[in-house]
Amino acid sequence: MKSIFLIFFNFFGLIFYAQTGTVKGKIVDKQSEKPISGAIVSLAGNDNIQAVSDVEGVFKLTNIPLGRQTLNIRFSGYEDTSIADLDVTTGKDNLVTIALIEKFNTLDEIVVTSGSSKAKPINKMALVSTKQFTTEEVTRFAGGRSDVARLVSNFAGVSTGDDSRNDIVVRGNSPSGMLWRIEGMPVPSPNHFSTLGTTGGPVSALNPNLLANSDFLTSAFPAEYGNAISGVFDLSFRKGNPDNYEFMISAGAYPGLEFMAEGPLGKKGGSFVASARYGFVGILGLAGTDAQPNYSDISFNVDLGKSKLGNFSVFGIYGTSDIDFLGDKIDKEDPFAAQDEDGYVTSGFASIGLKHNLEIGTKSYLKTIIGAANSKNSYENYRYFDYNTPSENRLPFTDINNAENRITFSTLFNSKISKKITFRAGLLFEHYNLDAKMTSRERQQDSDGDGYPDFVQLIDNNGSYNIVQPFAQGQFRLTEKLTFNAGIHGQYFSINKEFVVEPRTALSYAVNSKNTISFGYGMHHQSVPVPILFLNESLGGSQVQTNKNLDLVQSQHYVLGYDVRLAQKWRGKVEVYYQDISKAGVESFPSSYSTLTEGADFGYSIDKTSLVSKGTGNNKGIEFTVEKFFSEGYYALFTTSLFESKYKGSDNVERNSPFNNGYVVNLLGGKEFKIGKARKNVFSIDTKFTTAGGRYYTPVDLEASNNAGYEIRDDANAFSKQYDPYLRLDIKFGVKFNSKTKKRFHQFYIDFQNVTNHTNVFTLEYNRLTNSINQKDQIGFSPDFGYKFQF
């Protein structure tokens, strides 16, 4: 009984004594990713606190003062580096992985410093248009809703479609051009309420508390990335604490209620970390709709430790969501529903992977992943015909059921041939099975004469297809200042049996210790969105999928960059880019339609069949970034993008794309103040100001809509009108409390979003009940809040 009593109190952290914190992790070679033994890790400003990495590259620093700290790392023959902005608390050990770069000339007596690792991407093959982000940034910035997708909208060249969804618009591209990867494995959209073919959703299912530092790429990707033309989220899950059990309980308006646990596993240095969340934003009335959304998710990463067969780990994520829109309970201003409809939405996804890392010699490794994923969504919609009349009739209007299953196999071989040459090659194989069905009365004729539009099956697909992507690339450090990357990526799409070869290259030249110039080029391909690819067309009384043989959309990226270290902890960056897009799907007769305009909503067009691959588009612009990395208690970030996004349909008329905002400006900043007698607690203020040009839209043809009884857009003037500019100001306040005697940590924040209650347009749409055009607005002033308890 006594032992049970002690275990209980140990679980809740009551026997810990911790007025300082712990930092531990691993030192690896940047090129080979092998552990470095003998590296010296010290606390900046106090060389008495230091450690030396062991044969596995592992180090541990204890008795670290609480608050923001910086580590200095040095090892003979390698460039010195530093890790800044480590938030040391009493509630959790800090776990870090630090990559060192071997000096170009080991005979050089001068100390070479690579600077803060935060300024460089994690993927060594990425020399242009790549931004590393930390997990803390996801939760630190104002207005972020603990959403990794909304975080990157603060970066230059990136914006979100609107406040209701986290779709990522990169340099004027459709969100459907995005690629999501977790631990190197492509995954379906990791968002709640996601639908087939989309890459975003209203709420993220990615738990930032499980993420490690990751990369976001916006152009000219290295050769290992494929089947994407706009951007890449290359996400990693962190490992659990290999020495101690740690727990967290938190609650937030958008993430919901969360419980997380981590700790050691087995006797081979293994660990686990897992979390479960349940959302309750609807109960709080902050969902932006009168309907109540329900969503929950689970994430985990289990490292089985090192053995003679290599290192195995298992990772996964699962999410489910549903919402019911009932017409008699919906406000007429609701942006997602109508009063003469009932809608029932369900969505879910799951991904699981087994990763094996095998060391080959002293400078090479082979990483293999076998994974499976599932995504599904359904939508049942009932329309009240002759609404609010004696002859009112409730009939099924739209019925959608989609289920996509995929099996993934990938292998990657990495070898550090010398300190000047790194080689990487691999293969990605994906097998898809798609069961997609859609029946609707939308825009249909009344062929049977019953007085209602026919209930027609528009999609009926149950089949499989494969995507195969081999690649090879190398990095060549030609001189101490000049680095050259070159690679080739292949892609085979089994539906149209097309195989493409894509060259990729990048060049980086360090003019001096403060200034770097870079250039990148990449050719990329991607299939048109699946809901368009498998649309049915009635030909001779039979349903035929007339879009299946469309070519892969081709995109060529050109980017020129300049990076400057303005001062200590200050960085400036400018990038100029041009993107040329061809082989997009357009109609076979002159029209304004292009598949490049799809992907920023919950669904896709249902009447675009017999398309041909003759559409074109281009994106061009310039981006500016000025960033003050967190130090001396504050940070700042200014980004602005000036760009133009155009496309041509089969009528050969150049038009604005719906993603051509023209400009995006972000200004963020934050300050931490030490409080309390011991100065170990923190009060913080963060703010964010965003403004952007309004989105282009196609005006409603009111007369034609009134005659038809449903919305008809004036396609001859597609995307000729522009909404008013977007503007929003967010202010966030937070406090952090470190326990004086126990391993406990409390954090609370309140985030006032759109504090000026500025009216941002969501859409202008046809109202069939009033035969008029209504404006529906995005969310006005909205508070967000959260509480975290670590022990």
Side-chain angles (χ1 to χ4, degrees):
M1 187 68 183
K2 181 179 179 180
S3 61
I4 296 176
F5 183 79
L6 289 174
I7 292 173
F8 176 81
F9 276 89
N10 180 69
F11 178 84
F12 284 96
L14 295 176
I15 64 171
F16 284 101
Y17 182 89
Q19 295 186 40
T20 58
T22 298
V23 178
K24 53 191 175 183
K26 190 173 184 179
I27 312 295
V28 299
D29 182 286
K30 178 78 171 179
Q31 293 169 275
S32 69
E33 300 181 26
K34 293 298 184 70
I36 293 177
S37 173
I40 299 174
V41 184
S42 60
L43 181 67
N46 188 348
D47 288 339
N48 292 324
I49 300 179
Q50 66 174 247
V52 179
S53 60
D54 62 18
V55 293
E56 296 296 333
V58 174
F59 72 93
K60 182 176 182 179
L61 292 174
T62 57
N63 298 318
I64 305 293
L66 302 179
R68 302 283 174 176
Q69 303 295 343
T70 297
L71 300 184
N72 295 324
I73 304 95
R74 64 184 189 274
F75 183 65
S76 177
Y78 283 73
E79 299 177 8
D80 292 351
T81 192
S82 63
I83 302 295
D85 191 24
L86 285 174
D87 190 12
V88 180
T89 71
T90 56
K92 178 169 177 33
D93 296 343
N94 285 68
L95 306 176
V96 296
T97 299
I98 304 168
L100 301 184
I101 301 173
E102 189 173 3
K103 291 180 183 177
F104 186 85
N105 185 359
T106 56
L107 298 179
D108 193 350
E109 295 293 335
I110 300 175
V111 175
V112 180
T113 303
S114 61
S116 173
S117 63
K118 176 68 174 61
K120 298 182 179 181
I122 295 172
N123 189 332
K124 55 182 169 285
M125 295 293 180
L127 296 182
V128 297
S129 300
T130 304
K131 170 74 173 175
Q132 180 191 161
F133 61 90
T134 68
T135 56
E136 191 192 358
E137 286 173 324
V138 181
T139 55
R140 175 197 295 167
F141 292 160
R145 299 184 184 176
S146 298
D147 185 338
V148 64
R150 297 180 194 274
L151 163 73
V152 301
S153 68
N154 299 307
F155 300 161
V158 186
S159 64
T160 52
D162 55 65
D163 290 341
S164 67
R165 293 174 58 88
N166 63 8
D167 297 284
I168 297 301
V169 176
V170 178
R171 294 179 171 176
N173 284 283
S174 164
S176 62
M178 283 291 305
L179 168 66
W180 289 91
R181 299 204 329 175
I182 297 179
E183 290 292 299
M185 184 178 81
V187 297
S189 171
N191 294 285
H192 293 299
F193 304 103
S194 187
T195 56
L196 181 67
T198 63
T199 60
V203 183
S204 174
L206 284 168
N207 188 340
N209 294 309
L210 262 77
L211 292 178
N213 287 11
S214 302
D215 284 339
F216 181 70
L217 301 90
T218 59
S219 184
F221 324 131
E224 64 197 80
Y225 304 106
N227 201 31
I229 63 173
S230 69
V232 178
F233 264 111
D234 194 3
L235 304 172
S236 298
F237 279 171
R238 67 176 180 86
K239 295 182 179 181
N241 193 323
D243 302 317
N244 304 307
Y245 293 104
E246 295 177 330
F247 306 92
M248 185 192 76
I249 298 174
S250 68
Y254 291 95
L257 182 66
E258 175 183 355
F259 176 75
M260 185 173 71
E262 62 182 290
L265 182 68
K267 300 180 180 180
K268 299 179 181 179
S271 66
F272 76 93
V273 57
S275 74
R277 304 189 300 179
Y278 180 80
F280 51 73
V281 66
I283 299 174
L284 301 174
L286 301 175
T289 176
D290 293 319
Q292 179 173 315
N294 304 296
Y295 53 90
S296 58
D297 51 69
I298 297 172
S299 303
F300 65 89
N301 188 23
V302 179
D303 180 6
L304 301 178
K306 194 171 183 179
S307 69
K308 294 181 179 179
L309 298 177
N311 182 257
F312 289 90
S313 62
V314 181
F315 60 91
I317 180 172
Y318 166 81
T320 182
S321 52
D322 66 83
I323 187 171
D324 294 342
F325 297 100
L326 303 180
D328 60 352
K329 297 181 181 180
I330 291 294
D331 186 270
K332 64 180 181 179
E333 301 299 329
D334 195 296
F336 306 109
Q339 292 180 307
D340 63 341
E341 290 182 342
D342 294 333
Y344 307 90
V345 177
T346 66
S347 178
F349 72 96
S351 296
I352 187 169
L354 172 65
K355 183 170 70 173
H356 175 236
N357 205 79
L358 179 66
E359 295 185 1
I360 302 175
T362 59
K363 296 185 177 181
S364 304
Y365 69 85
L366 181 69
K367 181 172 69 176
T368 303
I369 299 173
I370 299 175
N374 166 270
S375 61
K376 58 184 179 181
N377 71 280
S378 68
Y379 177 53
E380 294 182 51
N381 176 267
Y382 293 85
R383 176 76 57 83
Y384 290 87
F385 289 90
D386 301 315
Y387 177 67
N388 265 351
T389 68
S391 56
E392 179 179 282
N393 191 10
R394 183 178 186 265
L395 293 175
F397 191 82
T398 299
D399 189 4
I400 299 174
N401 274 285
N402 299 318
E404 179 190 87
N405 296 288
R406 67 173 84 173
I407 297 174
T408 301
F409 170 82
S410 71
T411 185
L412 181 150
F413 173 75
N414 185 91
S415 181
K416 178 182 177 181
I417 297 174
S418 70
K419 61 187 175 185
K420 300 180 181 180
I421 301 175
T422 303
F423 175 74
R424 177 175 286 185
L427 175 74
L428 171 64
F429 171 81
E430 294 176 284
H431 175 76
Y432 291 79
N433 185 276
L434 177 65
D435 185 1
K437 291 179 172 58
M438 177 180 180
T439 308
S440 180
R441 299 181 191 271
E442 183 75 29
R443 298 173 180 260
Q444 301 304 314
Q445 302 296 319
D446 179 15
S447 301
D448 56 10
D450 65 353
Y452 305 106
D454 297 338
F455 203 39
V456 177
Q457 189 158 52
L458 301 176
I459 298 178
D460 184 11
N461 183 84
N462 191 351
S464 60
Y465 59 96
N466 302 318
I467 300 178
V468 184
Q469 301 177 66
F471 68 90
Q473 57 190 336
Q475 181 175 88
F476 308 90
R477 300 173 69 188
L478 302 178
T479 70
E480 191 170 4
K481 296 184 175 182
L482 184 63
T483 300
F484 173 66
N485 287 359
I488 197 101
H489 179 274
Q491 184 167 325
Y492 172 75
F493 191 48
S494 68
I495 290 181
N496 61 7
K497 298 185 175 10
E498 182 178 4
F499 181 77
V500 294
V501 178
E502 306 166 340
R504 315 278 178 88
T505 187
L507 190 72
S508 175
Y509 177 70
V511 179
N512 51 43
S513 61
K514 294 184 178 181
N515 299 272
T516 302
I517 300 172
S518 57
F519 171 78
Y521 165 77
M523 179 184 289
H524 310 273
H525 289 81
Q526 185 182 38
S527 64
V528 300
V530 167
I532 300 294
L533 199 66
F534 293 115
L535 266 179
N536 280 339
E537 182 179 8
S538 180
L539 296 177
S542 301
Q543 297 294 318
V544 181
Q545 296 172 338
T546 55
N547 292 335
K548 287 183 68 173
N549 291 320
L550 285 171
D551 292 341
L552 297 174
V553 179
Q554 183 185 95
S555 173
Q556 299 191 70
H557 297 245
Y558 307 84
V559 59
L560 179 66
Y562 171 65
D563 200 305
V564 56
R565 185 159 62 89
L566 300 170
Q568 185 72 14
K569 302 298 182 181
W570 284 88
R571 175 200 188 193
K573 189 174 184 179
V574 181
E575 283 198 337
V576 181
Y577 66 88
Y578 179 78
Q579 181 184 6
D580 182 60
I581 305 173
S582 60
K583 299 184 179 181
V586 296
E587 294 183 290
S588 56
F589 53 88
S591 81
S592 61
Y593 175 76
S594 171
T595 56
L596 298 178
T597 64
E598 302 271 11
D601 206 341
F602 291 95
Y604 287 80
S605 298
I606 62 173
D607 58 349
K608 304 304 179 183
T609 53
S610 293
L611 301 181
V612 294
S613 300
K614 295 183 179 180
T616 60
N618 66 83
N619 300 307
K620 53 191 173 186
I622 183 170
E623 302 166 356
F624 302 90
T625 299
V626 177
E627 182 172 14
K628 160 66 166 60
F629 298 112
F630 199 107
S631 65
E632 299 176 340
Y634 76 100
Y635 70 92
L637 176 64
F638 169 77
T639 64
T640 185
S641 308
L642 306 174
F643 64 98
E644 184 177 72
S645 177
K646 301 282 190 176
Y647 82 97
K648 288 183 180 181
S650 54
D651 60 4
N652 206 36
V653 175
E654 186 173 68
R655 293 180 169 85
N656 295 298
S657 87
F659 315 107
N660 187 23
N661 299 79
Y663 69 91
V664 180
V665 178
N666 295 297
L667 179 61
L668 297 90
K671 172 70 175 176
E672 290 188 348
F673 303 89
K674 294 182 179 180
I675 59 176
K677 292 183 179 180
R679 312 284 289 174
K680 295 182 182 295
N681 301 320
V682 173
F683 171 74
S684 63
I685 302 176
D686 300 272
T687 186
K688 172 187 173 183
F689 172 77
T690 296
T691 184
R695 292 176 291 121
Y696 280 91
Y697 67 97
T698 302
V700 175
D701 187 329
L702 183 59
E703 182 179 356
S705 299
N706 285 335
N707 291 333
Y710 53 81
E711 182 179 272
I712 295 179
R713 297 276 176 169
D714 182 10
D715 291 332
N717 295 297
F719 306 108
S720 59
K721 300 292 185 180
Q722 189 177 20
Y723 293 130
D724 292 336
Y726 177 92
L727 187 147
R728 179 170 143 176
L729 175 66
D730 305 322
I731 300 177
K732 181 178 180 180
F733 301 94
V735 289
K736 299 177 182 179
F737 296 104
N738 289 287
S739 173
K740 294 181 179 180
T741 59
K742 303 174 179 66
K743 190 173 183 179
R744 293 177 175 180
F745 172 75
H746 301 266
Q747 181 178 7
F748 175 80
Y749 71 84
I750 184 165
D751 190 353
F752 298 107
Q753 301 178 6
N754 196 1
V755 293
T756 64
N757 200 31
H758 183 79
T759 299
N760 293 307
V761 180
F762 179 69
T763 187
L764 290 172
E765 64 180 18
Y766 175 67
N767 187 327
R768 57 182 170 269
L769 299 179
T770 61
N771 295 325
S772 61
I773 299 174
N774 292 350
Q775 174 176 315
K776 293 189 175 183
D777 298 325
Q778 300 189 45
I779 299 173
F781 170 73
S782 177
D784 183 17
F785 66 87
Y787 168 74
K788 179 194 293 185
F789 174 41
Q790 292 177 322
F791 55 99

